[in-house]
Amino acid sequence: MAVTDRSVTSRTVARHIESVAHHSVSVRNIRRRLQQSGLSARRPLLGLPLTQNHTRLRRQWYNKIRMWDAEWNEVVFTDESRICLQHYDGRIRVWRDLGERMLNSCVMHRHSGPAPGIMVWRGIEYHPRTPLVRIAGTLISQRYFSEVLEPVVLSYLQGLATAIFQQNNARPHVTRIAQRFFFNHQIELLPWPTRSPHLSSIENMWSMVAQ
């Protein structure tokens, strides 16, 4: 039952067994048996919902670049990310005795509101990488142009023999001011399917930068 429906709860499994076998089974026993079978309760991996049109566009994109080899060495993968400056893992536990609940060493301090963080942008290629750019506030089209494209991207691409610039379809990337910049400087863009952040190699870098 847990194999066919991965989101089923152990309590539901216990009720199902009781209705079929007319024998009560504790939830603890259900969990123990599932763990013995190699199944553990973990947080699901979050993914973006894809429509048939998204799937079609992905297939078209793949058919276009599936024969690439050396071309990937010329692609400059870029992205921006908000990095949280204070991380709290709800799984952390502390050892304490009775009456030590308010002891400072047993308290995990964290903000009740949005955690402080910074917005950064970076580009990586097969060999070099761009500087890490700190974005002052929310990334809007004008800020993307004045703080990233003009001062960083242009000089970086001019130092490369050949380059294919990759960016996702975020709103600041596809505005007229950004598209005019790429057209005026004859910068080749890598077409990018919508809802495809995991296809970019730079996504694997953000966790290391955050650490």
Side-chain angles (χ1 to χ4, degrees):
M1 191 173 180
V3 174
T4 57
D5 183 5
R6 295 305 179 101
S7 61
V8 68
T9 64
S10 53
R11 193 174 301 276
T12 301
V13 176
R15 287 199 297 263
H16 175 73
I17 294 177
E18 185 175 356
S19 64
V20 174
H22 304 289
H23 180 74
S24 62
V25 181
S26 67
V27 174
R28 181 176 297 179
N29 283 336
I30 295 296
R31 293 174 181 170
R32 185 182 300 114
R33 289 298 180 89
L34 289 175
Q35 289 177 350
Q36 291 174 353
S37 301
L39 295 177
S40 300
R42 302 182 186 278
R43 292 181 180 179
L45 178 66
L46 300 179
L48 292 172
L50 298 177
T51 64
Q52 290 184 353
N53 188 50
H54 292 145
T55 305
R56 179 181 59 82
L57 294 175
R58 277 192 178 194
R59 189 177 296 111
Q60 290 180 357
W61 179 81
Y62 170 75
N63 290 333
K64 183 178 180 180
I65 54 89
R66 64 190 180 95
M67 300 302 295
W68 279 18
D69 187 10
E71 290 87 347
W72 288 114
N73 296 343
E74 303 173 2
V75 177
V76 181
F77 291 95
T78 69
D79 192 22
E80 59 276 343
S81 178
R82 185 180 185 276
I83 297 179
C84 181
L85 298 181
Q86 184 184 58
H87 177 68
Y88 169 72
D89 191 340
R91 297 170 297 180
I92 294 178
R93 299 292 185 267
V94 295
W95 296 100
R96 70 186 186 202
D97 204 343
L98 292 176
E100 294 183 339
R101 183 170 182 267
M102 302 301 295
L103 195 66
N104 190 55
S105 58
C106 298
V107 175
M108 179 67 65
H109 298 277
R110 69 183 181 93
H111 291 272
S112 58
I118 59 172
M119 175 72 73
V120 294
W121 176 95
R122 168 160 275 187
I124 60 173
E125 202 202 8
Y126 184 73
H127 289 295
R129 60 180 180 268
T130 71
L132 186 67
V133 181
R134 179 174 179 177
I135 307 298
T138 305
L139 186 67
I140 58 178
S141 58
Q142 182 60 44
R143 191 166 287 155
Y144 182 55
F145 174 76
S146 61
E147 297 183 18
V148 176
L149 294 181
E150 269 201 329
V152 180
V153 171
L154 185 58
S155 60
Y156 175 80
L157 295 181
Q158 288 174 344
L160 302 176
T162 56
I164 303 173
F165 191 79
Q166 181 275 337
Q167 59 179 4
N168 58 29
N169 299 298
R171 182 168 297 180
H173 301 167
V174 297
T175 55
R176 291 183 179 179
I177 187 173
Q179 296 303 311
R180 191 182 306 117
F181 169 84
F182 296 123
F183 177 80
N184 292 340
H185 295 285
Q186 298 181 349
I187 297 174
E188 181 181 357
L189 292 176
L190 176 65
W192 201 250
T194 58
R195 299 197 174 189
S196 304
H198 59 284
L199 298 180
S200 176
S201 58
I202 198 173
E203 293 294 334
N204 300 320
M205 183 201 69
W206 287 128
S207 59
M208 293 183 287
V209 174
Q211 291 175 4

